[in-house]
Amino acid sequence: SLKLAILLIIAYLLGSIPSGIWIGKWFFNVDVRQHGSGNIGTTNTYRVLGKKAGTIVMIMDILKGTLATSLPFFFNVNISPIIFGIFAILGHTFSIFDKFKGGKAVATSAGMLLAIHPILFLCACIFELSFTYITSMVSLASMISFPLIVILLFLDNDPWLGTIGLLLTIFIFIRHRKNIIRIKEGNENLVPFGLIYNH
Ligand code: G3P
């Protein structure tokens, strides 16, 4: 229906909001794409513009996923919220405001998880923080946390969500291909804390 089509477009547009680019441009006159890893996400914003900007981008990127995923509840549409979450994730990674480029889908996927499974969202946050502390690499922490959440989804007897999570995990690995090369070569960017950084 027309209503469904419009809502899916809204989900895509919400996901498309390039918080990292906009916060950098508006408040710092800096293009995060020109610095650090060149990514527009939480990690690179934190790296380039500091804790405050990084935190704002993280909250925005999570919330746009949560909001998009919640659209069918707000507007009484009988379609799986996951479809809307996926449209937001596609927006985030192939943004209409960034020449169809974009981020690595970590925060926006987490935002979708917050809308459909808040407890697992909490687990995801704990995983991400713990593995970031252990490895001093957000990229590696993301690539460990996603498969762990997929395992928990299957253990929670939700094979449909688990399968979506598995596909999303593959997608996230593809988005992190440059990170994977850097990790293998031993020159991935480290966060300024954690076990590896201190060595
Ligand atoms: O959220 C993206 C993160 O996993 C890696 O970011 O900037 O280190 O490539 P970055």
Side-chain angles (χ1 to χ4, degrees):
S1 70
L2 183 63
K3 185 181 173 187
L4 175 62
I6 290 173
L7 287 176
L8 287 174
I9 291 171
I10 292 175
Y12 169 79
L13 289 176
L14 271 173
S16 274
I17 294 172
S19 353
I21 298 177
W22 286 358
I23 297 286
K25 262 192 196 153
W26 295 343
F27 298 104
F28 298 84
N29 202 21
V30 168
D31 186 344
V32 291
R33 292 168 297 183
Q34 311 275 322
H35 304 274
S37 70
N39 195 40
I40 64 167
T42 301
T43 311
N44 200 45
T45 306
Y46 177 101
R47 188 180 288 130
V48 176
L49 303 174
K51 205 185 244 174
K52 219 191 235 170
T55 306
I56 292 169
V57 168
M58 179 183 74
I59 292 171
M60 284 180 71
D61 284 353
I62 290 176
L63 282 188
K64 65 191 197 185
T66 311
L67 205 64
T69 308
S70 309
L71 284 173
F73 300 118
F74 297 148
F75 291 93
N76 240 318
V77 176
N78 206 6
I79 302 268
S80 170
I82 296 161
I83 307 291
F84 290 82
I86 290 171
F87 268 72
I89 293 165
L90 290 175
H92 180 75
T93 45
F94 308 107
S95 168
I96 197 164
F97 304 114
D98 186 20
K99 294 179 185 141
F100 298 101
K101 289 183 290 177
K104 297 183 183 173
V106 175
T108 308
S109 302
M112 168 166 98
L113 191 59
L114 173 59
I116 55 183
H117 207 317
I119 295 173
L120 277 193
F121 169 80
L122 215 69
C123 293
C125 294
I126 294 168
F127 289 155
E128 186 78 16
L129 285 173
S130 313
F131 290 112
T132 297
Y133 183 74
I134 293 167
T135 68
S136 303
M137 289 176 254
V138 184
S139 56
L140 186 54
S142 306
M143 287 187 279
I144 298 171
S145 300
F146 270 77
L148 288 178
I149 292 296
V150 171
I151 292 170
L152 291 182
L153 283 169
F154 278 108
L155 289 178
D156 196 31
N157 250 326
D158 206 329
W160 155 239
L161 261 186
T163 306
I164 297 290
L166 192 62
L167 294 173
L168 208 49
T169 301
I170 295 169
F171 182 61
I172 264 128
F173 271 71
I174 296 171
R175 299 298 294 177
H176 282 80
R177 57 196 182 281
K178 286 183 189 152
N179 302 80
I180 294 170
I181 294 169
R182 284 197 293 268
I183 293 168
K184 277 191 192 151
E185 291 175 344
N187 53 16
E188 174 62 312
N189 298 305
L190 301 182
V191 292
F193 53 83
L195 299 184
I196 291 184
Y197 184 78
N198 290 332
H199 274 84

